[in-house]
Amino acid sequence: MPTDDAAELWKLNQRLLTRVMNAAAPQLEELGLETKEFFVLDEVDACKYPAELTRKLMLPKASVTTYLRNLVDRGLVRREIDESDLRRHRLTTTSEGRRVRAKALEALASEFSTMMARLDERDQSELRRMLLSLLETE
């Protein structure tokens, strides 16, 4: 695939994701979440330590620290000393954090479903197959 085509596909994908996130932003705000806070909250159960979140989300350490502080202050995430290494803090999502995350995912899914409704069932299935194929190496 020529570089120009790959760049255009990347930009189109980014525009689609941005459009979905912008459409869901009011629902996220009602839940008390900024967009990037949602991404942090969504990854806490997979990444138990702040440094893991920083690497996975490719966000600056200072930003992740700020988002985590906000999530902890709102009772969505709990930060505990790791008993196996007292220098580290382990993160867990609270029951309220899981509820808020589920509601935020519902809002995003609803907005994405609206976009996907423009495609017929066969094209939706093909898009799913292609995306899974592109992400297989993760």
Side-chain angles (χ1 to χ4, degrees), residues 25-72:
Q27 294 98 311
L28 294 180
E29 287 174 17
E30 284 178 22
L31 294 167
L33 290 176
E34 292 179 20
T35 302
K36 289 184 181 174
E37 287 176 337
F38 162 74
F39 288 115
V40 171
L41 178 63
D42 191 45
E43 290 295 336
V44 165
D45 289 336
C47 301
K48 298 291 187 191
Y49 301 98
E52 288 178 28
L53 281 169
T54 300
R55 283 190 301 277
K56 174 107 184 229
L57 297 173
M58 294 186 288
L59 291 171
K61 184 178 179 183
S63 296
V64 170
T65 299
T66 299
Y67 299 140
L68 282 172
R69 185 178 306 122
N70 293 341
L71 294 169
V72 168

mmCIF file of all heavy atoms in Angstrom, residues 25-72:
data_model
loop_
_atom_site.group_PDB
_atom_site.id
_atom_site.type_symbol
_atom_site.label_atom_id
_atom_site.label_comp_id
_atom_site.label_asym_id
_atom_site.label_seq_id
_atom_site.Cartn_x
_atom_site.Cartn_y
_atom_site.Cartn_z
ATOM 1 N N ALA A 25 -18.975 12.902 24.442
ATOM 2 C CA ALA A 25 -18.413 13.772 25.487
ATOM 3 C C ALA A 25 -19.458 14.284 26.474
ATOM 4 O O ALA A 25 -19.201 14.280 27.685
ATOM 5 C CB ALA A 25 -17.635 14.928 24.860
ATOM 6 N N PRO A 26 -20.654 14.707 26.028
ATOM 7 C CA PRO A 26 -21.640 15.177 27.021
ATOM 8 C C PRO A 26 -22.042 14.092 28.025
ATOM 9 O O PRO A 26 -22.195 14.379 29.213
ATOM 10 C CB PRO A 26 -22.840 15.603 26.158
ATOM 11 C CG PRO A 26 -22.260 15.919 24.817
ATOM 12 C CD PRO A 26 -21.116 14.950 24.655
ATOM 13 N N GLN A 27 -22.190 12.854 27.562
ATOM 14 C CA GLN A 27 -22.540 11.765 28.475
ATOM 15 C C GLN A 27 -21.386 11.484 29.441
ATOM 16 O O GLN A 27 -21.609 11.206 30.617
ATOM 17 C CB GLN A 27 -22.903 10.484 27.707
ATOM 18 C CG GLN A 27 -24.164 10.594 26.881
ATOM 19 C CD GLN A 27 -23.864 10.888 25.416
ATOM 20 O OE1 GLN A 27 -23.099 11.783 25.083
ATOM 21 N NE2 GLN A 27 -24.478 10.132 24.533
ATOM 22 N N LEU A 28 -20.153 11.560 28.945
ATOM 23 C CA LEU A 28 -18.999 11.361 29.826
ATOM 24 C C LEU A 28 -18.948 12.469 30.875
ATOM 25 O O LEU A 28 -18.676 12.206 32.049
ATOM 26 C CB LEU A 28 -17.699 11.315 29.019
ATOM 27 C CG LEU A 28 -17.529 10.140 28.061
ATOM 28 C CD1 LEU A 28 -16.190 10.238 27.323
ATOM 29 C CD2 LEU A 28 -17.645 8.809 28.761
ATOM 30 N N GLU A 29 -19.217 13.695 30.445
ATOM 31 C CA GLU A 29 -19.210 14.822 31.387
ATOM 32 C C GLU A 29 -20.282 14.644 32.458
ATOM 33 O O GLU A 29 -20.046 14.964 33.626
ATOM 34 C CB GLU A 29 -19.422 16.139 30.638
ATOM 35 C CG GLU A 29 -18.209 16.562 29.850
ATOM 36 C CD GLU A 29 -18.453 17.800 28.982
ATOM 37 O OE1 GLU A 29 -19.447 18.524 29.216
ATOM 38 O OE2 GLU A 29 -17.639 18.020 28.074
ATOM 39 N N GLU A 30 -21.458 14.121 32.083
ATOM 40 C CA GLU A 30 -22.509 13.852 33.072
ATOM 41 C C GLU A 30 -22.040 12.842 34.114
ATOM 42 O O GLU A 30 -22.470 12.877 35.262
ATOM 43 C CB GLU A 30 -23.761 13.320 32.382
ATOM 44 C CG GLU A 30 -24.567 14.368 31.660
ATOM 45 C CD GLU A 30 -25.783 13.780 30.950
ATOM 46 O OE1 GLU A 30 -26.230 12.680 31.333
ATOM 47 O OE2 GLU A 30 -26.261 14.424 30.012
ATOM 48 N N LEU A 31 -21.155 11.942 33.690
ATOM 49 C CA LEU A 31 -20.597 10.948 34.608
ATOM 50 C C LEU A 31 -19.410 11.499 35.395
ATOM 51 O O LEU A 31 -18.836 10.810 36.226
ATOM 52 C CB LEU A 31 -20.156 9.704 33.826
ATOM 53 C CG LEU A 31 -21.277 8.908 33.167
ATOM 54 C CD1 LEU A 31 -20.704 7.898 32.174
ATOM 55 C CD2 LEU A 31 -22.113 8.203 34.230
ATOM 56 N N GLY A 32 -19.037 12.748 35.103
ATOM 57 C CA GLY A 32 -17.916 13.373 35.800
ATOM 58 C C GLY A 32 -16.564 13.000 35.239
ATOM 59 O O GLY A 32 -15.558 13.094 35.943
ATOM 60 N N LEU A 33 -16.527 12.577 33.970
ATOM 61 C CA LEU A 33 -15.274 12.146 33.354
ATOM 62 C C LEU A 33 -14.870 13.041 32.200
ATOM 63 O O LEU A 33 -15.697 13.400 31.367
ATOM 64 C CB LEU A 33 -15.410 10.729 32.783
ATOM 65 C CG LEU A 33 -15.524 9.564 33.727
ATOM 66 C CD1 LEU A 33 -15.752 8.280 32.935
ATOM 67 C CD2 LEU A 33 -14.291 9.439 34.594
ATOM 68 N N GLU A 34 -13.589 13.364 32.160
ATOM 69 C CA GLU A 34 -13.006 13.915 30.941
ATOM 70 C C GLU A 34 -12.675 12.718 30.054
ATOM 71 O O GLU A 34 -12.527 11.599 30.536
ATOM 72 C CB GLU A 34 -11.717 14.678 31.262
ATOM 73 C CG GLU A 34 -11.911 15.948 32.050
ATOM 74 C CD GLU A 34 -10.595 16.630 32.337
ATOM 75 O OE1 GLU A 34 -9.590 16.349 31.633
ATOM 76 O OE2 GLU A 34 -10.558 17.434 33.271
ATOM 77 N N THR A 35 -12.512 12.977 28.766
ATOM 78 C CA THR A 35 -12.243 11.888 27.822
ATOM 79 C C THR A 35 -11.013 11.074 28.223
ATOM 80 O O THR A 35 -11.068 9.849 28.282
ATOM 81 C CB THR A 35 -12.058 12.456 26.394
ATOM 82 O OG1 THR A 35 -13.228 13.177 26.046
ATOM 83 C CG2 THR A 35 -11.834 11.353 25.391
ATOM 84 N N LYS A 36 -9.916 11.740 28.512
ATOM 85 C CA LYS A 36 -8.688 11.003 28.846
ATOM 86 C C LYS A 36 -8.800 10.305 30.193
ATOM 87 O O LYS A 36 -8.201 9.253 30.398
ATOM 88 C CB LYS A 36 -7.471 11.911 28.773
ATOM 89 C CG LYS A 36 -7.143 12.272 27.327
ATOM 90 C CD LYS A 36 -5.908 13.092 27.201
ATOM 91 C CE LYS A 36 -5.672 13.425 25.742
ATOM 92 N NZ LYS A 36 -4.573 14.347 25.556
ATOM 93 N N GLU A 37 -9.578 10.860 31.106
ATOM 94 C CA GLU A 37 -9.822 10.168 32.373
ATOM 95 C C GLU A 37 -10.551 8.855 32.118
ATOM 96 O O GLU A 37 -10.275 7.863 32.780
ATOM 97 C CB GLU A 37 -10.642 11.036 33.322
ATOM 98 C CG GLU A 37 -9.879 12.176 33.922
ATOM 99 C CD GLU A 37 -10.748 13.077 34.773
ATOM 100 O OE1 GLU A 37 -11.978 13.110 34.595
ATOM 101 O OE2 GLU A 37 -10.173 13.770 35.633
ATOM 102 N N PHE A 38 -11.468 8.866 31.154
ATOM 103 C CA PHE A 38 -12.150 7.623 30.813
ATOM 104 C C PHE A 38 -11.150 6.568 30.381
ATOM 105 O O PHE A 38 -11.222 5.412 30.808
ATOM 106 C CB PHE A 38 -13.194 7.819 29.702
ATOM 107 C CG PHE A 38 -13.568 6.514 29.066
ATOM 108 C CD1 PHE A 38 -14.378 5.612 29.742
ATOM 109 C CD2 PHE A 38 -13.060 6.154 27.834
ATOM 110 C CE1 PHE A 38 -14.693 4.377 29.179
ATOM 111 C CE2 PHE A 38 -13.363 4.933 27.268
ATOM 112 C CZ PHE A 38 -14.182 4.040 27.941
ATOM 113 N N PHE A 39 -10.205 6.931 29.506
ATOM 114 C CA PHE A 39 -9.233 5.953 29.026
ATOM 115 C C PHE A 39 -8.392 5.397 30.179
ATOM 116 O O PHE A 39 -8.083 4.207 30.208
ATOM 117 C CB PHE A 39 -8.329 6.559 27.942
ATOM 118 C CG PHE A 39 -9.042 6.778 26.646
ATOM 119 C CD1 PHE A 39 -9.240 8.046 26.160
ATOM 120 C CD2 PHE A 39 -9.540 5.701 25.919
ATOM 121 C CE1 PHE A 39 -9.908 8.257 24.965
ATOM 122 C CE2 PHE A 39 -10.207 5.894 24.720
ATOM 123 C CZ PHE A 39 -10.394 7.175 24.237
ATOM 124 N N VAL A 40 -8.047 6.253 31.126
ATOM 125 C CA VAL A 40 -7.296 5.792 32.298
ATOM 126 C C VAL A 40 -8.164 4.842 33.123
ATOM 127 O O VAL A 40 -7.732 3.732 33.469
ATOM 128 C CB VAL A 40 -6.786 6.984 33.136
ATOM 129 C CG1 VAL A 40 -6.191 6.510 34.460
ATOM 130 C CG2 VAL A 40 -5.763 7.793 32.343
ATOM 131 N N LEU A 41 -9.380 5.246 33.430
ATOM 132 C CA LEU A 41 -10.292 4.403 34.200
ATOM 133 C C LEU A 41 -10.504 3.055 33.515
ATOM 134 O O LEU A 41 -10.512 2.013 34.171
ATOM 135 C CB LEU A 41 -11.636 5.114 34.388
ATOM 136 C CG LEU A 41 -12.724 4.342 35.132
ATOM 137 C CD1 LEU A 41 -12.293 4.050 36.567
ATOM 138 C CD2 LEU A 41 -14.033 5.129 35.103
ATOM 139 N N ASP A 42 -10.637 3.072 32.201
ATOM 140 C CA ASP A 42 -10.893 1.850 31.451
ATOM 141 C C ASP A 42 -9.727 0.867 31.504
ATOM 142 O O ASP A 42 -9.924 -0.331 31.353
ATOM 143 C CB ASP A 42 -11.224 2.195 29.994
ATOM 144 C CG ASP A 42 -11.757 1.016 29.220
ATOM 145 O OD1 ASP A 42 -12.628 0.283 29.747
ATOM 146 O OD2 ASP A 42 -11.304 0.805 28.078
ATOM 147 N N GLU A 43 -8.527 1.346 31.742
ATOM 148 C CA GLU A 43 -7.342 0.476 31.737
ATOM 149 C C GLU A 43 -6.846 0.081 33.122
ATOM 150 O O GLU A 43 -5.938 -0.724 33.243
ATOM 151 C CB GLU A 43 -6.190 1.146 30.976
ATOM 152 C CG GLU A 43 -6.415 1.248 29.488
ATOM 153 C CD GLU A 43 -6.474 -0.110 28.787
ATOM 154 O OE1 GLU A 43 -5.917 -1.101 29.309
ATOM 155 O OE2 GLU A 43 -7.087 -0.167 27.711
ATOM 156 N N VAL A 44 -7.434 0.647 34.183
ATOM 157 C CA VAL A 44 -6.917 0.386 35.534
ATOM 158 C C VAL A 44 -6.905 -1.098 35.868
ATOM 159 O O VAL A 44 -5.926 -1.604 36.422
ATOM 160 C CB VAL A 44 -7.699 1.193 36.598
ATOM 161 C CG1 VAL A 44 -7.436 0.664 38.003
ATOM 162 C CG2 VAL A 44 -7.323 2.662 36.517
ATOM 163 N N ASP A 45 -7.954 -1.829 35.524
ATOM 164 C CA ASP A 45 -7.981 -3.247 35.882
ATOM 165 C C ASP A 45 -6.960 -4.064 35.098
ATOM 166 O O ASP A 45 -6.507 -5.104 35.565
ATOM 167 C CB ASP A 45 -9.389 -3.817 35.704
ATOM 168 C CG ASP A 45 -10.347 -3.287 36.765
ATOM 169 O OD1 ASP A 45 -9.878 -2.888 37.848
ATOM 170 O OD2 ASP A 45 -11.560 -3.264 36.499
ATOM 171 N N ALA A 46 -6.584 -3.596 33.912
ATOM 172 C CA ALA A 46 -5.582 -4.302 33.107
ATOM 173 C C ALA A 46 -4.160 -3.882 33.476
ATOM 174 O O ALA A 46 -3.220 -4.654 33.327
ATOM 175 C CB ALA A 46 -5.824 -4.051 31.617
ATOM 176 N N CYS A 47 -4.013 -2.653 33.937
ATOM 177 C CA CYS A 47 -2.701 -2.101 34.295
ATOM 178 C C CYS A 47 -2.756 -1.698 35.762
ATOM 179 O O CYS A 47 -3.266 -0.628 36.095
ATOM 180 C CB CYS A 47 -2.381 -0.887 33.434
ATOM 181 S SG CYS A 47 -2.347 -1.195 31.673
ATOM 182 N N LYS A 48 -2.253 -2.512 36.610
ATOM 183 C CA LYS A 48 -2.395 -2.306 38.063
ATOM 184 C C LYS A 48 -1.495 -1.217 38.649
ATOM 185 O O LYS A 48 -1.652 -0.858 39.813
ATOM 186 C CB LYS A 48 -2.118 -3.615 38.808
ATOM 187 C CG LYS A 48 -3.094 -4.722 38.463
ATOM 188 C CD LYS A 48 -4.448 -4.411 39.009
ATOM 189 C CE LYS A 48 -5.391 -5.569 38.835
ATOM 190 N NZ LYS A 48 -6.763 -5.222 39.105
ATOM 191 N N TYR A 49 -0.541 -0.713 37.850
ATOM 192 C CA TYR A 49 0.402 0.271 38.367
ATOM 193 C C TYR A 49 0.433 1.496 37.459
ATOM 194 O O TYR A 49 0.290 1.369 36.234
ATOM 195 C CB TYR A 49 1.807 -0.337 38.475
ATOM 196 C CG TYR A 49 1.831 -1.545 39.373
ATOM 197 C CD1 TYR A 49 1.769 -2.833 38.837
ATOM 198 C CD2 TYR A 49 1.876 -1.401 40.749
ATOM 199 C CE1 TYR A 49 1.762 -3.943 39.667
ATOM 200 C CE2 TYR A 49 1.862 -2.504 41.584
ATOM 201 C CZ TYR A 49 1.813 -3.771 41.033
ATOM 202 O OH TYR A 49 1.793 -4.869 41.865
ATOM 203 N N PRO A 50 0.628 2.685 38.032
ATOM 204 C CA PRO A 50 0.653 3.907 37.226
ATOM 205 C C PRO A 50 1.645 3.858 36.066
ATOM 206 O O PRO A 50 1.324 4.319 34.959
ATOM 207 C CB PRO A 50 1.032 4.992 38.239
ATOM 208 C CG PRO A 50 0.506 4.474 39.543
ATOM 209 C CD PRO A 50 0.726 2.980 39.466
ATOM 210 N N ALA A 51 2.818 3.295 36.268
ATOM 211 C CA ALA A 51 3.809 3.231 35.182
ATOM 212 C C ALA A 51 3.297 2.382 34.016
ATOM 213 O O ALA A 51 3.556 2.705 32.851
ATOM 214 C CB ALA A 51 5.131 2.669 35.704
ATOM 215 N N GLU A 52 2.553 1.332 34.313
ATOM 216 C CA GLU A 52 1.965 0.511 33.254
ATOM 217 C C GLU A 52 0.945 1.317 32.463
ATOM 218 O O GLU A 52 0.871 1.199 31.231
ATOM 219 C CB GLU A 52 1.276 -0.724 33.835
ATOM 220 C CG GLU A 52 2.203 -1.774 34.372
ATOM 221 C CD GLU A 52 1.434 -2.953 34.974
ATOM 222 O OE1 GLU A 52 0.300 -3.229 34.537
ATOM 223 O OE2 GLU A 52 1.964 -3.578 35.894
ATOM 224 N N LEU A 53 0.133 2.101 33.155
ATOM 225 C CA LEU A 53 -0.856 2.949 32.480
ATOM 226 C C LEU A 53 -0.164 3.944 31.549
ATOM 227 O O LEU A 53 -0.613 4.159 30.419
ATOM 228 C CB LEU A 53 -1.690 3.720 33.503
ATOM 229 C CG LEU A 53 -2.801 2.966 34.193
ATOM 230 C CD1 LEU A 53 -3.349 3.771 35.353
ATOM 231 C CD2 LEU A 53 -3.902 2.621 33.212
ATOM 232 N N THR A 54 0.895 4.549 32.029
ATOM 233 C CA THR A 54 1.644 5.519 31.234
ATOM 234 C C THR A 54 2.131 4.888 29.933
ATOM 235 O O THR A 54 1.975 5.465 28.858
ATOM 236 C CB THR A 54 2.828 6.073 32.048
ATOM 237 O OG1 THR A 54 2.306 6.715 33.219
ATOM 238 C CG2 THR A 54 3.651 7.057 31.264
ATOM 239 N N ARG A 55 2.698 3.687 30.045
ATOM 240 C CA ARG A 55 3.203 2.998 28.844
ATOM 241 C C ARG A 55 2.069 2.594 27.908
ATOM 242 O O ARG A 55 2.133 2.810 26.705
ATOM 243 C CB ARG A 55 4.016 1.766 29.239
ATOM 244 C CG ARG A 55 5.415 2.087 29.742
ATOM 245 C CD ARG A 55 6.279 0.844 29.891
ATOM 246 N NE ARG A 55 5.744 -0.142 30.808
ATOM 247 C CZ ARG A 55 5.896 -0.102 32.136
ATOM 248 N NH1 ARG A 55 6.589 0.867 32.687
ATOM 249 N NH2 ARG A 55 5.385 -1.046 32.908
ATOM 250 N N LYS A 56 1.031 1.988 28.460
ATOM 251 C CA LYS A 56 -0.064 1.480 27.636
ATOM 252 C C LYS A 56 -0.803 2.604 26.911
ATOM 253 O O LYS A 56 -1.147 2.479 25.741
ATOM 254 C CB LYS A 56 -1.044 0.697 28.505
ATOM 255 C CG LYS A 56 -2.284 0.237 27.801
ATOM 256 C CD LYS A 56 -2.271 -1.226 27.552
ATOM 257 C CE LYS A 56 -3.465 -1.673 26.757
ATOM 258 N NZ LYS A 56 -4.129 -2.801 27.317
ATOM 259 N N LEU A 57 -1.067 3.707 27.618
ATOM 260 C CA LEU A 57 -1.842 4.803 27.042
ATOM 261 C C LEU A 57 -0.987 5.829 26.314
ATOM 262 O O LEU A 57 -1.516 6.730 25.665
ATOM 263 C CB LEU A 57 -2.661 5.497 28.140
ATOM 264 C CG LEU A 57 -3.705 4.609 28.804
ATOM 265 C CD1 LEU A 57 -4.334 5.340 29.982
ATOM 266 C CD2 LEU A 57 -4.764 4.170 27.807
ATOM 267 N N MET A 58 0.337 5.703 26.452
ATOM 268 C CA MET A 58 1.280 6.643 25.829
ATOM 269 C C MET A 58 0.955 8.089 26.205
ATOM 270 O O MET A 58 0.874 8.975 25.366
ATOM 271 C CB MET A 58 1.300 6.457 24.305
ATOM 272 C CG MET A 58 1.854 5.112 23.902
ATOM 273 S SD MET A 58 2.066 4.877 22.138
ATOM 274 C CE MET A 58 0.377 4.712 21.605
ATOM 275 N N LEU A 59 0.730 8.261 27.497
ATOM 276 C CA LEU A 59 0.472 9.595 28.046
ATOM 277 C C LEU A 59 1.627 9.972 28.966
ATOM 278 O O LEU A 59 2.259 9.098 29.566
ATOM 279 C CB LEU A 59 -0.825 9.595 28.862
ATOM 280 C CG LEU A 59 -2.127 9.427 28.092
ATOM 281 C CD1 LEU A 59 -3.289 9.226 29.063
ATOM 282 C CD2 LEU A 59 -2.382 10.627 27.209
ATOM 283 N N PRO A 60 1.894 11.263 29.101
ATOM 284 C CA PRO A 60 2.948 11.682 30.026
ATOM 285 C C PRO A 60 2.628 11.252 31.457
ATOM 286 O O PRO A 60 1.465 11.247 31.869
ATOM 287 C CB PRO A 60 2.951 13.213 29.909
ATOM 288 C CG PRO A 60 2.250 13.508 28.625
ATOM 289 C CD PRO A 60 1.292 12.386 28.396
ATOM 290 N N LYS A 61 3.673 10.934 32.194
ATOM 291 C CA LYS A 61 3.518 10.490 33.583
ATOM 292 C C LYS A 61 2.743 11.516 34.408
ATOM 293 O O LYS A 61 1.862 11.155 35.191
ATOM 294 C CB LYS A 61 4.895 10.246 34.193
ATOM 295 C CG LYS A 61 4.855 9.705 35.586
ATOM 296 C CD LYS A 61 6.255 9.448 36.127
ATOM 297 C CE LYS A 61 6.175 8.930 37.538
ATOM 298 N NZ LYS A 61 7.496 8.734 38.131
ATOM 299 N N ALA A 62 3.043 12.795 34.216
ATOM 300 C CA ALA A 62 2.356 13.850 34.983
ATOM 301 C C ALA A 62 0.854 13.853 34.683
ATOM 302 O O ALA A 62 0.033 14.065 35.588
ATOM 303 C CB ALA A 62 2.965 15.214 34.670
ATOM 304 N N SER A 63 0.492 13.609 33.429
ATOM 305 C CA SER A 63 -0.934 13.579 33.063
ATOM 306 C C SER A 63 -1.631 12.400 33.719
ATOM 307 O O SER A 63 -2.724 12.544 34.281
ATOM 308 C CB SER A 63 -1.104 13.501 31.545
ATOM 309 O OG SER A 63 -0.592 14.650 30.928
ATOM 310 N N VAL A 64 -1.014 11.232 33.660
ATOM 311 C CA VAL A 64 -1.606 10.041 34.268
ATOM 312 C C VAL A 64 -1.760 10.254 35.769
ATOM 313 O O VAL A 64 -2.792 9.913 36.346
ATOM 314 C CB VAL A 64 -0.782 8.775 33.948
ATOM 315 C CG1 VAL A 64 -1.246 7.586 34.768
ATOM 316 C CG2 VAL A 64 -0.867 8.452 32.456
ATOM 317 N N THR A 65 -0.765 10.861 36.395
ATOM 318 C CA THR A 65 -0.834 11.154 37.825
ATOM 319 C C THR A 65 -2.026 12.062 38.128
ATOM 320 O O THR A 65 -2.783 11.816 39.079
ATOM 321 C CB THR A 65 0.473 11.812 38.308
ATOM 322 O OG1 THR A 65 1.549 10.891 38.088
ATOM 323 C CG2 THR A 65 0.411 12.192 39.774
ATOM 324 N N THR A 66 -2.226 13.088 37.326
ATOM 325 C CA THR A 66 -3.355 14.005 37.525
ATOM 326 C C THR A 66 -4.681 13.290 37.335
ATOM 327 O O THR A 66 -5.602 13.431 38.156
ATOM 328 C CB THR A 66 -3.254 15.201 36.552
ATOM 329 O OG1 THR A 66 -2.039 15.898 36.823
ATOM 330 C CG2 THR A 66 -4.433 16.141 36.704
ATOM 331 N N TYR A 67 -4.802 12.518 36.255
ATOM 332 C CA TYR A 67 -6.056 11.797 36.003
ATOM 333 C C TYR A 67 -6.341 10.809 37.134
ATOM 334 O O TYR A 67 -7.480 10.702 37.588
ATOM 335 C CB TYR A 67 -6.016 11.068 34.663
ATOM 336 C CG TYR A 67 -5.821 11.983 33.477
ATOM 337 C CD1 TYR A 67 -4.997 11.615 32.429
ATOM 338 C CD2 TYR A 67 -6.457 13.223 33.396
ATOM 339 C CE1 TYR A 67 -4.811 12.453 31.337
ATOM 340 C CE2 TYR A 67 -6.270 14.064 32.313
ATOM 341 C CZ TYR A 67 -5.450 13.672 31.284
ATOM 342 O OH TYR A 67 -5.267 14.494 30.210
ATOM 343 N N LEU A 68 -5.320 10.099 37.586
ATOM 344 C CA LEU A 68 -5.511 9.145 38.684
ATOM 345 C C LEU A 68 -5.925 9.857 39.967
ATOM 346 O O LEU A 68 -6.808 9.381 40.686
ATOM 347 C CB LEU A 68 -4.247 8.323 38.920
ATOM 348 C CG LEU A 68 -3.997 7.196 37.935
ATOM 349 C CD1 LEU A 68 -2.623 6.581 38.170
ATOM 350 C CD2 LEU A 68 -5.093 6.138 38.018
ATOM 351 N N ARG A 69 -5.304 10.972 40.246
ATOM 352 C CA ARG A 69 -5.665 11.729 41.457
ATOM 353 C C ARG A 69 -7.148 12.106 41.403
ATOM 354 O O ARG A 69 -7.878 11.950 42.384
ATOM 355 C CB ARG A 69 -4.797 12.983 41.594
ATOM 356 C CG ARG A 69 -5.058 13.737 42.893
ATOM 357 C CD ARG A 69 -4.170 14.961 43.078
ATOM 358 N NE ARG A 69 -2.764 14.614 42.957
ATOM 359 C CZ ARG A 69 -1.925 15.173 42.065
ATOM 360 N NH1 ARG A 69 -2.344 16.102 41.243
ATOM 361 N NH2 ARG A 69 -0.669 14.807 42.021
ATOM 362 N N ASN A 70 -7.605 12.576 40.238
ATOM 363 C CA ASN A 70 -9.017 12.945 40.077
ATOM 364 C C ASN A 70 -9.924 11.728 40.256
ATOM 365 O O ASN A 70 -10.965 11.817 40.925
ATOM 366 C CB ASN A 70 -9.261 13.570 38.708
ATOM 367 C CG ASN A 70 -8.580 14.910 38.545
ATOM 368 O OD1 ASN A 70 -8.217 15.559 39.519
ATOM 369 N ND2 ASN A 70 -8.395 15.319 37.309
ATOM 370 N N LEU A 71 -9.544 10.603 39.673
ATOM 371 C CA LEU A 71 -10.354 9.383 39.768
ATOM 372 C C LEU A 71 -10.394 8.860 41.205
ATOM 373 O O LEU A 71 -11.434 8.394 41.675
ATOM 374 C CB LEU A 71 -9.832 8.318 38.810
ATOM 375 C CG LEU A 71 -9.969 8.654 37.315
ATOM 376 C CD1 LEU A 71 -9.167 7.659 36.470
ATOM 377 C CD2 LEU A 71 -11.432 8.692 36.890
ATOM 378 N N VAL A 72 -9.272 8.950 41.908
ATOM 379 C CA VAL A 72 -9.221 8.533 43.320
ATOM 380 C C VAL A 72 -10.086 9.467 44.163
ATOM 381 O O VAL A 72 -10.877 9.008 44.993
ATOM 382 C CB VAL A 72 -7.759 8.496 43.828
ATOM 383 C CG1 VAL A 72 -7.706 8.359 45.347
ATOM 384 C CG2 VAL A 72 -6.986 7.354 43.157
#
